[in-house]
Amino acid sequence: MKEVHLICNAHIDPIWQWEWEEGAAAALSTFRSAVDLAEEFDYIFCHNEVTLYKYIAEYAPALFARIKKLVREGKWHIMGGWYLQPDCNMPSGESMVRQILMGHRYFEENFGVKPTTAINFDSFGHSSGLPQILRKCGQDSYIITRPGSDPIPASQFWWEGVDGSRVKVGVRSTYLTHLGTAARDIKNRIKNRPEDTIFVLWGVGNHGGGPSRRDLADIEALKKELEGEFTIIHSTPEQFFAKLDPKAVHDKALRLVQPGCYTSMYRIKQKHAELESTLYMVEKLCSMAAMRGLIEYPEQELDEATTDLLNMEFHDVLPGTCIRAGEENGLQYADHALLILNRLRARAYFALCAAEPRAKEGEYPILVYNPHPYEHETEIVCEMMMADQNWRDDIHSRLRLFDASGKELPLQLVKEESCLNLDWRKRFVFRASLKPMDVTRFSLYADYAPTEAAATRQSGDVVMDCTVSVDGKELQKHVEIDAKTGLLRSYRIDGREYLSEKQYLGKRGGFLPVFYKDNPDPWAMSKEQETAIGSDPVPFALMDAPDGPFAGMSGFRIIEDGPIYTAAEAFLSCENTKLRIEYDIYKHTLDVDVKMDVFMNDANRMLRLALPTAGERCLGQTAFGTEELFADGRENVAQRFMALTHGEGDVLALFNRGTYGSIFKDGVLSVSMLRGITYCGHPILDRPIIPTDRFVKKADMGERNFAFRLTVCPKAALERLATEFNLPPYACNVFPAEAGLPGADRPQTPFSIAISERNVVLVTMKKQYGSNAYLLRLLNNDGVSKACTVTLCGREIALDFGKYEVKTLRYDGAVLTEEKALLI
């Protein structure tokens, strides 16, 4: 006899077509109804998401107490156990851990439970890094309703992640039934199913509702009707998976569903990337400062910033499928968290600086914090104010920079952020070596020199040849930018050309902006869009006489040239959209940084940035892993890096700061940057997506800014280099506190850290909740096993990492140990 597990739920989006207050109201009414029905019927109501329970606790504490009682009686089940149902492709592995960590903490403290089955009904695909995360967070199973566009072997299977971890997965096509149809829907869904053990998700959802009195009565009648053929029980996800032993195995990511989600509403995605990087950097900085005895670890403030991050990762906010109020709510979460984190960064940074000696006569101390646990030689940007204004035309300030040993360092003055035509504010770039996870001091001195005539910069194409030292090896770098097109024409390392020499859309060169015809749907729901979003590509063209925001510029020009880098900018347009591309070509590294300022003024268009290459395969970063991306023109999703392979050896890498979508076909990597979609433009049957009798709001109109880095590197270094691009050093002109001032005389506890394998990345370091110990999360984002030694404050531990393995270490001030779980 077949066993049917009925899992009653009520899917409630805290934000979607409504603002959060309406989402809270839906939770209140749904939970109240479910509690009332539990007193009349023998069933189990299952619900997840900390966010919703917090609404109940704050706005209906008596109802919250009734729910607690039902949980103890087994009539209300805490399902899933996560903070909310996030997008499952764009958040980093550490963010996914926090979704579970903060969820489990809340449910254990308030209900004494820790769910072992995760659920994400509405997410638009699922990262192949999730099985490892689930396993190491104490969850062995997973329920989803959107498995992706690629085939899956069965509706019940083992899902194997990039590291080899496995979890049980159950798939259903929907999480809801409509009011009054539950029994009929359940009967239809279980008939002709081959499995002996079946689960059915039921209950009115998509804006709450859950069970009804009529549906519960009808289900009781259905049990009797099917008696002898099916055993139907009110159940929980854990009860179902305890009976399940799947035979099929799926060893790939579950992607992609509604692929427009990875480009729509770029501001949310960019802020999300910035918040992730800033949170984990500030955690490390505050941990180090606290371990040195300089500050108290700000646990409550960091928790507040973390919950802001988790809330903005909700699966209709981060993917850009909500109304404008939802977008604004997500941005408010990000800005609130970043404000907290910037203040914490300043607190810890200035505490470190306070221990520095007083400035010498005429010295401007430049104190640079390196967020990475290794000595790091890199470019450093600092902006500062000179002690006095110079209004004279015949002299100008001359700056000289020295390291701690007194060695003078090359320094390049560049345009400051402000626009006062006065010798006062200074912005400069220099290259230096920084101490691991500490502040390194440099000394700047200034005097005056006679003003010389401005040097004439070259016109025409940019051609740069230089010798670069990488890991002790001298490499030849050749870069060309075409002044007639504004495109990167050549990127050659040691004689190997990484760009295609063929024309693409009638043009030759990389970083070609291209417009595609698109539609208002932020999800990209149509069958055609599963294969390819956009049609009829049209390349942008260099503007002979830039206008609009670029009025007065020339189409192409060199804007900076010095000992550190050369920079050129180009202005291009298509239809009503205009953009600026800046190329920063570094002279001591293989890197070319590309910055873009886009003024989007066209609806129903998709903007991509095409990079024609010699690559054969495309790899992308996922949560605690790297996976091969589609190579047939379907939309991809990746996090901070994409990499193109061509035979053996190093890969061509493109790093980003919050640009998730792309396509790859025939060697051309096209980064999906913007879609001129309509807020919540949801297709319904064959009806028009948006009304035509009035204006409706469009997303991503106006100025948007992008940042990329092109380089060549070993595949094993991708994670580390992407982290370095997203976490540059923090530099400031600080005059340390004098003796006797707060912080200046505080005794310090020595701190040191070393990781013998440079490409094992320290994801974060933070204080353990409810303990005085500190946790370190380390990742080997490579398909090859690695051994390394970690040394922290004189304590040493040897570690063996499997492929794509993440580990957690615990340091209690005396002992450094490896923990088996991520959640401790």
Side-chain angles (χ1 to χ4, degrees), residues 400-419:
R400 300 180 68 190
L401 186 71
F402 300 87
D403 66 14
S405 69
K407 177 184 176 182
E408 185 168 2
L409 303 174
L411 175 147
Q412 181 173 339
L413 280 171
V414 297
K415 173 69 177 70
E416 66 277 7
E417 287 294 313
S418 62
C419 289

Side-chain angles (χ1 to χ4, degrees), residues 214-492:
R214 174 183 168 182
D215 284 325
L216 286 166
D218 288 347
I219 288 171
E220 289 304 309
L222 180 66
K223 285 184 182 181
K224 295 176 182 177
E225 176 189 341
L226 299 181
E227 191 174 359
E229 185 181 1
F230 294 94
T231 299
I232 300 176
I233 58 175
H234 291 290
S235 187
T236 69
E238 281 77 4
Q239 285 178 263
F240 165 72
F241 280 106
K243 298 286 187 72
L244 189 65
D245 183 19
K247 306 304 178 192
V249 177
H250 184 75
D251 62 357
K252 295 180 177 60
L254 296 166
R255 56 185 168 110
L256 280 170
V257 180
Q258 298 167 9
C261 297
Y262 300 106
T263 302
S264 300
M265 288 191 203
Y266 173 68
R267 284 194 303 164
I268 284 283
K269 294 168 172 58
Q270 183 183 46
K271 283 284 187 179
H272 172 253
E274 180 186 0
L275 178 50
E276 279 192 322
S277 295
T278 305
L279 172 61
Y280 304 132
M281 183 272 282
V282 171
E283 282 183 344
K284 287 186 278 189
L285 174 57
C286 288
S287 295
M288 186 267 284
M291 291 169 75
R292 287 174 63 168
L294 297 175
I295 65 170
E296 295 296 324
Y297 186 82
E299 186 169 57
Q300 184 175 348
E301 292 151 292
L302 286 170
D303 273 358
E304 189 174 357
T306 300
T307 57
D308 285 337
L309 171 67
L310 304 184
N311 277 310
M312 78 172 301
E313 290 177 340
F314 179 65
H315 65 256
D316 279 315
V317 174
L318 183 56
T321 55
C322 56
I323 59 174
R324 186 169 181 173
E327 179 187 37
E328 293 302 324
N329 188 256
L331 293 172
Q332 287 167 357
Y333 276 126
D335 289 336
H336 177 251
L338 288 168
L339 179 62
I340 292 171
L341 295 172
N342 286 342
R343 288 173 173 168
L344 294 179
R345 180 182 66 181
R347 184 188 304 173
Y349 171 77
F350 285 121
L352 293 170
C353 295
E356 288 288 319
R358 184 175 180 177
K360 298 176 182 177
E361 185 68 28
E363 178 195 6
Y364 294 88
I366 307 299
L367 301 179
V368 184
Y369 173 68
N370 171 23
H372 307 293
Y374 45 80
E375 186 174 326
H376 184 31
E377 185 176 358
T378 187
E379 285 73 28
I380 299 151
V381 181
C382 184
E383 186 159 332
M384 55 171 285
M385 193 72 77
M386 304 304 293
D388 199 5
Q389 304 168 9
N390 171 32
W391 288 72
R392 292 172 56 178
D393 291 328
D394 60 325
I395 60 172
H396 71 279
S397 296
R398 178 176 59 183
L399 307 184
R400 300 180 68 190
L401 186 71
F402 300 87
D403 66 14
S405 69
K407 177 184 176 182
E408 185 168 2
L409 303 174
L411 175 147
Q412 181 173 339
L413 280 171
V414 297
K415 173 69 177 70
E416 66 277 7
E417 287 294 313
S418 62
C419 289
L420 276 68
N421 194 357
L422 183 65
D423 183 11
W424 187 23
R425 185 80 177 156
K426 299 297 177 184
R427 184 179 179 88
F428 54 91
V429 183
F430 64 101
R431 183 172 175 82
S433 184
L434 304 175
K435 294 184 289 188
M437 276 183 72
D438 204 349
V439 166
T440 304
R441 181 169 178 158
F442 302 90
S443 298
L444 185 78
Y445 292 89
D447 58 12
Y448 292 106
T451 300
E452 300 175 355
T456 303
R457 292 194 176 123
Q458 76 174 70
S459 58
D461 298 349
V462 175
V463 180
M464 179 190 287
D465 288 285
C466 57
T467 302
V468 174
S469 179
V470 180
D471 295 329
K473 184 179 180 181
E474 300 295 309
L475 301 176
Q476 301 303 311
K477 174 182 175 181
H478 175 83
V479 177
E480 296 179 22
I481 302 175
D482 191 331
K484 295 183 177 62
T485 63
L487 305 182
L488 181 65
R489 186 169 60 201
S490 177
Y491 179 72
R492 194 162 65 236

Side-chain angles (χ1 to χ4, degrees), residues 13 62 70 103 143 204 288 418 421 449 502 564 596 644 718 781 789:
D13 291 326
L70 289 173
I143 293 179
V204 178
M288 186 267 284
S418 62
N421 194 357
K502 298 177 183 178
I564 308 299
M596 292 190 65
L644 304 172
L718 285 167
N781 192 1
T789 300

Side-chain angles (χ1 to χ4, degrees), residues 781-819:
N781 192 1
D782 191 7
V784 178
S785 300
K786 286 185 175 66
C788 77
T789 300
V790 176
T791 307
L792 180 64
C793 299
R795 304 298 189 269
E796 185 177 291
I797 187 170
L799 300 173
D800 290 307
F801 285 84
K803 63 177 184 177
Y804 305 114
E805 185 176 7
V806 60
K807 289 180 180 288
T808 298
L809 301 184
R810 184 178 186 272
Y811 176 65
D812 64 3
V815 180
L816 184 62
T817 56
E818 180 182 351
E819 303 293 328

Side-chain angles (χ1 to χ4, degrees), residues 491-546:
Y491 179 72
R492 194 162 65 236
I493 305 299
D494 257 13
R496 181 176 180 178
E497 179 60 67
Y498 284 87
L499 299 187
S500 173
E501 298 183 2
K502 298 177 183 178
Q503 286 197 344
Y504 178 70
L505 298 178
K507 296 181 182 288
R508 182 190 164 196
F511 297 104
L512 170 66
V514 181
F515 245 175
Y516 292 74
K517 289 183 180 178
D518 200 355
N519 70 13
D521 168 15
W523 290 268
M525 290 186 178
S526 71
K527 283 292 182 185
E528 294 77 16
Q529 289 170 309
E530 279 187 9
T531 303
I533 300 177
S535 62
D536 303 321
V538 177
F540 278 56
L542 194 71
M543 301 169 70
D544 294 327

